[in-house]
Amino acid sequence: MLWDTSSLLVSASGAQVCALKGQDALTSLRLLDDPQQWPLFGRPQVDPAASDGTGSLVWTSQVVIEGMHCAACALNIEAAVAAVKGVMSVRVDGHGQRAEVVWRSDQAMPSQWMGAIDHAGYGVKPAHDMGRRAAREKQSRQALWQWLVAGFCMMQVMMYSVPVYVAEPGDISADMLGLLHWAGWVLCLPVMVFSSGPFWRQAWRDLQQGRIGMDLPVALGIGITFVISTAATWDPTGPLGSEVYFDSLTMFVFFLLTGRWLEGRMRERTAGALDALMNRLPEQVERMNAQGEFEKVALSALQLGDTVRVGPGQAFPADGRVAQGSTWVEEALLTGESRPLSRQVGDRVLAGSHNLRQSVDVVLTELGEATVYAHTVALMASAALSKPRLARMADRIAKPFLWAVLIAACGAAAWVWPVNPAQALMVAVSVLIVTCPCALSLATPAAMIAAAGNLARHGVLMRDLQSLEAMAAVDLVVWDKTGTLTSDTQSVLRVHAPQGVFVPDAQGMWGPEVLALWSSAAALAHHSLHPLSRALDTLDAPHVPTRDVSEHPGQGLHGEVWHAGRWSHMWLGSWSFGQSESNGMTRDLLAPCASVHLWGEAGWLASFEVSETLRPDAAKVLQTLQSQGLQVRILSGDRTQAVLDVAQRLGLRSDQVQGALSPQDKLDQVQSWQQQGWRIAVVGDGFNDMPVLAAANASIAVGQAIPLARSHSDAVVRGNHLWPVVQTLVLARRTMAVVRYNLLWAAVYNAVCIPLAVMGWMPAWVAGAGMALSSLFVVLHSLQLSRDQTLLSVD
């Protein structure tokens, strides 16, 4: 199998190696044995300090497979690669046409396990190959031409076949009938040689490797039909009779190619998010040199601290901060934020995001595997290659089912042969065609990849497609509080003053009596970096003048504030600090929950009850979960009173929350619920959430979760919204409903069509149409999940 090495090798001159043919293909594979090329399509997995010069003995590499059409292809590739010494594991995604190979660099080379794929009859390219798009377009054009030729020949053959169908006995002479048959034979040749090429090649490769694939029954059916019809054309009085089936042959080839072409197009749509993401980084970047001038260098030449210039329409090559200029960026596939975001000097930009407006200079802070982009790609690739339980079961069934198909076809032919040999062979053809288990193999992966692609476009990255099945069965959702339901900022919840207790109105606005006091407090708070001071300094109003402000560590702030038309001494901080500094002139009023107190020369002025800021959609998310019939609980390590306060603001009962829990306490509680029969999803973000994330039936890391929390979760939600969490659970339920419907359809289709074909009641062209339409129905039914609009952000 031929493959293109263009853009694989990066050199200072930017030269590319052209595709090699025949035996030179193996030589081109050996070019990838250079350890410097391995990071282009893989990453080190363990032992980064290994002494072999590669940086690691174990590598995980991603490659793209060409020429795959069914689940049997994936099984064949896995078997071929697993047989190579030094390959530790291999996972192949037949729907996305990708493979992940884990191999030891001291026992195997990329050319060896890639050569095994090539020897098995499939094309192979590194996943980050920039030339893959051109190759894919070429392959798509080839498939389209094959389909067009089959369609044109089918229509012409039907034109010559219709007179035979409608004519009465004696209306057409024997010579004319023979001429019509010869015309059909000639028109079938392009279909046999060109349009049916993919079926012939794959079936021949399978036979060479001593295996059976889904193209073998199809190729046998096409071949047998052509042989019967050719024999009838050359010798109408022969043992196979005078009946020709050129119309049936061209028709079912056309139907099969139609289904395969549409499946390929839909596969690109559902799995396209990963392709779009993996090829986002530019090949060359403008980097500032020692003279302060910008010059183009290869992406691999970048180092931390480099300053690069990114123009409008270009992708950022690495994570960094804007050093000069301002622009708008698009980060939809990285963070789930669908709207363009403003970036000014000092703001962070992410590798793989697009610059939309004007050129900016960026100082690089993270490269390679440390970038958000690399982590996102790894998560999506892992999800695409994971096989759900139902998909693995379907793959295991598919191969024995193919043997059963061949046996059933032979049995049906043997039963009818004594009566009519030609009819017996056509019955075998119908059985071979109609029973191809493509729909069965597509039922699960088509639905799950469509759902995963939809989630990825909205900022939800699945680490394992199997988790969709677990999420669909969840009936209890356990939340962490700090950093998950709340953000990392604090806000003023209530203001206590001598006149009473004040809260904001429905629009979040405060009354004038509160604003006057808050302005004075905010003026003092502006001089401190303490988190509580930052909460007061969020007031969207002009600060009043201050002078001689001093901060007393651990106590508060003191200074003069322009208040009520004169300079007044004020104190802001703890209750004891205010009492002591204002000579004990107090009012007998204290809010026990208040966090920051304001004092004047005459005594106490106000107390500001500061609490954690809830995420904007937290209350709606929990309410929606409960309306979907799910139970909601909060397990937190924070103070019980603080947890109860948050629960009250979220509309939860006190028995739905627990506070002051250690990581072990959380784990014990989750395991206790699981023993009671609850199927639990845990949503968290921190180090103390890792044990329960790992123990839960399904787990989701949200926001800026620490790397270890992300690695222990089944899904990662990007951005600051929680709405995708509940919608992920909803979409998981819909996905499993689609999977069950697809499997039911495949089972019913085979249960109905196989007996009809065995009894000879289903013509070959109907069998071909039925097989193509059954696979097409599964893909179309699954495609609705990629268009699901339930993942819209909450405003």
Side-chain angles (χ1 to χ4, degrees):
M1 198 66 179
L2 305 181
W3 67 289
D4 185 5
T5 59
S6 61
S7 77
L8 291 181
L9 305 180
V10 180
S11 64
S13 63
Q16 296 180 334
V17 179
C18 297
L20 303 178
K21 298 183 178 181
Q23 293 299 322
D24 289 342
L26 294 178
T27 303
S28 66
L29 285 173
R30 294 192 183 98
L31 295 174
L32 296 174
D33 290 345
D34 182 357
Q36 294 184 356
Q37 304 302 322
W38 298 350
L40 299 179
F41 59 99
R43 64 185 187 277
Q45 184 171 319
V46 298
D47 193 13
S51 59
D52 65 344
T54 67
S56 177
L57 288 175
V58 179
W59 282 77
T60 300
S61 298
Q62 303 275 346
V63 294
V64 175
I65 309 296
E66 296 178 347
M68 294 181 61
H69 301 293
C70 61
C73 295
L75 297 175
N76 293 333
I77 293 173
E78 288 179 350
V81 177
V84 177
K85 181 181 178 181
V87 173
M88 302 173 65
S89 67
V90 56
R91 295 189 298 171
V92 179
D93 169 29
H95 193 74
Q97 297 187 327
R98 290 180 175 274
E100 179 185 83
V101 181
V102 180
W103 52 284
R104 292 187 61 88
S105 60
D106 59 341
Q107 297 180 9
M109 287 286 115
S111 62
Q112 294 176 296
W113 52 265
M114 283 190 181
I117 299 175
D118 183 270
H119 182 67
Y122 302 90
V124 55
K125 290 186 178 184
H128 292 273
D129 185 2
M130 299 298 179
R132 190 196 168 210
R133 180 183 296 274
R136 187 171 59 236
E137 291 176 353
K138 180 180 179 181
Q139 187 178 15
S140 180
R141 285 195 301 269
Q142 176 83 352
L144 182 60
W145 273 110
Q146 290 169 337
W147 174 75
L148 289 173
V149 169
F152 175 79
C153 292
M154 177 194 69
M155 290 187 289
Q156 298 302 309
V157 169
M158 289 299 298
M159 184 175 67
Y160 291 115
S161 301
V162 168
V164 179
Y165 291 146
V166 301
E168 296 294 334
D171 288 351
I172 302 179
S173 65
D175 292 340
M176 180 58 69
L177 186 61
L179 182 62
L180 294 175
H181 288 173
W182 274 104
W185 184 83
V186 171
L187 288 168
C188 268
L189 291 179
V191 176
M192 292 294 296
V193 175
F194 179 66
S195 297
S196 301
F199 306 119
W200 296 121
R201 287 191 293 270
Q202 189 58 49
W204 178 244
R205 286 196 295 261
D206 289 342
L207 291 175
Q208 285 182 312
Q209 299 294 325
R211 65 197 183 205
I212 183 172
M214 294 185 190
D215 280 333
L216 182 59
V218 173
L220 286 175
I222 294 173
I224 292 172
T225 305
F226 185 74
V227 168
I228 295 173
S229 301
T230 300
T233 301
W234 285 67
D235 184 9
T237 60
L240 296 182
S242 61
E243 190 75 24
V244 298
Y245 302 95
F246 295 125
D247 53 344
S248 296
L249 187 152
T250 55
M251 198 175 296
F252 71 65
V253 169
F254 174 74
F255 286 141
L256 292 176
L257 291 176
T258 300
R260 182 165 290 187
W261 186 76
L262 290 175
E263 285 175 26
R265 298 288 294 179
M266 293 172 190
R267 181 189 295 119
E268 289 184 9
R269 288 186 59 185
T270 56
L274 179 57
D275 285 339
L277 191 61
M278 293 190 74
N279 296 306
R280 276 198 161 202
L281 297 187
E283 294 183 72
Q284 293 184 321
V285 183
E286 288 188 77
R287 181 179 67 179
M288 181 184 293
N289 58 25
Q291 291 74 38
E293 299 176 349
F294 286 92
E295 59 182 4
K296 286 191 175 182
V297 299
L299 178 66
S300 58
L302 294 179
Q303 298 180 355
L304 291 178
D306 283 349
T307 299
V308 299
R309 176 163 292 173
V310 181
Q314 296 179 347
F316 291 94
D319 291 356
R321 295 195 177 275
V322 178
Q324 183 175 344
S326 62
T327 187
W328 292 78
V329 300
E330 178 269 318
E331 299 179 351
L333 280 178
L334 296 169
T335 65
E337 179 56 64
S338 59
R339 295 169 296 184
L341 302 173
S342 174
R343 290 294 181 262
Q344 309 292 327
V345 173
D347 289 343
R348 186 187 185 197
V349 293
L350 302 178
S353 61
H354 277 103
N355 183 6
L356 300 179
R357 286 286 178 86
Q358 57 190 16
S359 296
V360 292
D361 295 347
V362 176
V363 176
L364 304 184
T365 58
E366 301 288 349
L367 289 172
E369 296 298 318
T371 63
V372 174
Y373 167 84
H375 176 70
T376 303
V377 168
L379 282 177
M380 294 180 66
S382 176
L385 288 164
S386 63
K387 286 190 177 181
R389 178 182 58 85
L390 292 176
R392 293 195 299 268
M393 181 181 67
D395 288 351
R396 287 194 299 268
I397 293 173
K399 212 159 201 176
F401 186 79
L402 286 172
W403 282 108
V405 166
L406 295 177
I407 295 172
C410 293
W415 179 263
V416 183
W417 185 271
V419 179
N420 187 335
Q423 180 64 24
L425 291 176
M426 290 310 297
V427 168
V429 169
S430 296
V431 174
L432 288 171
I433 298 297
V434 80
T435 54
C436 184
C438 292
L440 178 66
S441 297
L442 287 171
T444 300
M448 290 196 170
I449 290 179
N454 189 358
L455 290 168
R457 287 191 296 273
H458 292 86
V460 182
L461 306 180
M462 302 298 301
R463 292 186 64 250
D464 187 355
L465 293 183
Q466 175 69 38
S467 59
L468 285 173
E469 186 177 353
M471 289 180 182
V474 163
D475 48 18
L476 172 60
V477 183
V478 176
W479 293 79
D480 174 51
K481 178 183 72 71
T482 306
T484 303
L485 291 169
T486 64
S487 64
D488 56 359
T489 61
Q490 302 192 64
S491 60
V492 176
L493 185 64
R494 283 179 284 268
V495 177
H496 301 258
Q499 299 88 347
V501 179
F502 300 91
V503 296
D505 59 20
Q507 287 73 39
M509 305 299 294
W510 295 86
E513 59 280 329
V514 172
L515 291 177
L517 294 170
W518 197 341
S519 295
S520 299
L524 289 174
H526 185 68
H527 296 271
S528 173
L529 295 177
H530 192 279
L532 295 179
S533 296
R534 296 296 89 195
L536 292 177
D537 197 23
T538 57
L539 179 66
D540 188 16
H543 287 168
V544 297
T546 59
R547 66 185 185 187
D548 299 331
V549 178
S550 60
E551 184 171 8
H552 301 256
Q555 300 182 64
L557 295 149
H558 168 255
E560 292 186 70
V561 179
W562 186 259
H563 180 72
R566 68 182 185 88
W567 290 102
S568 301
H569 285 273
M570 288 192 177
W571 293 261
L572 180 71
S574 65
W575 183 259
S576 59
F577 174 66
Q579 280 186 315
S580 61
E581 294 297 333
S582 61
N583 299 320
M585 294 183 292
T586 69
R587 301 268 182 119
D588 188 18
L589 178 62
L590 172 64
C593 294
S595 303
V596 186
H597 309 274
L598 178 66
W599 299 76
E601 295 173 350
W604 175 71
L605 295 177
S607 293
F608 300 89
E609 189 174 337
V610 178
S611 182
E612 294 173 291
T613 303
L614 292 177
R615 293 186 186 267
D617 54 353
K620 182 174 183 179
V621 164
L622 299 189
Q623 180 182 359
T624 305
L625 285 174
Q626 294 180 99
S627 68
Q628 291 288 323
L630 299 173
Q631 296 295 316
V632 174
R633 298 290 186 272
I634 296 178
L635 299 181
S636 176
D638 203 355
R639 296 177 296 108
T640 300
Q641 184 57 48
V643 178
L644 289 173
D645 177 63
V646 169
Q648 182 181 11
R649 295 159 61 189
L650 291 171
L652 299 180
R653 304 185 309 271
S654 59
D655 62 341
Q656 292 179 280
V657 301
Q658 296 181 43
L661 299 178
S662 67
Q664 184 62 47
D665 294 334
K666 292 183 179 181
L667 180 60
D668 292 342
Q669 181 61 73
V670 167
Q671 291 176 338
S672 174
W673 282 330
Q674 288 175 324
Q675 291 173 0
Q676 297 172 26
W678 292 98
R679 287 159 295 188
I680 298 174
V682 172
V683 186
D685 77 316
F687 184 85
N688 62 340
D689 299 320
M690 289 193 303
V692 289
L693 286 171
N697 302 86
S699 53
I700 303 173
V702 300
Q704 303 299 320
I706 65 172
L708 282 176
R710 291 196 297 261
S711 67
H712 283 75
S713 62
D714 298 315
V716 177
V717 175
R718 298 288 190 184
N720 295 319
H721 287 300
L722 296 177
W723 189 246
V725 173
V726 61
Q727 295 299 351
T728 298
L729 297 175
V730 172
L731 188 61
R733 290 183 174 183
R734 295 180 183 176
T735 300
M736 294 313 301
V738 169
V739 167
R740 287 190 290 269
Y741 192 91
N742 287 348
L743 291 173
L744 177 63
W745 163 259
V748 171
Y749 161 78
N750 283 284
V752 172
C753 292
I754 291 177
L756 294 177
V758 170
M759 290 184 290
W761 293 350
M762 179 175 287
W765 71 269
V766 174
M771 193 204 82
L773 292 175
S774 65
S775 299
L776 191 59
F777 172 82
V778 166
V779 175
L780 284 173
H781 190 231
S782 301
L783 197 60
Q784 64 176 293
L785 295 170
S786 69
R787 297 191 301 265
D788 198 297
Q789 296 298 310
T790 61
L791 294 173
L792 298 177
S793 299
V794 176
D795 295 329

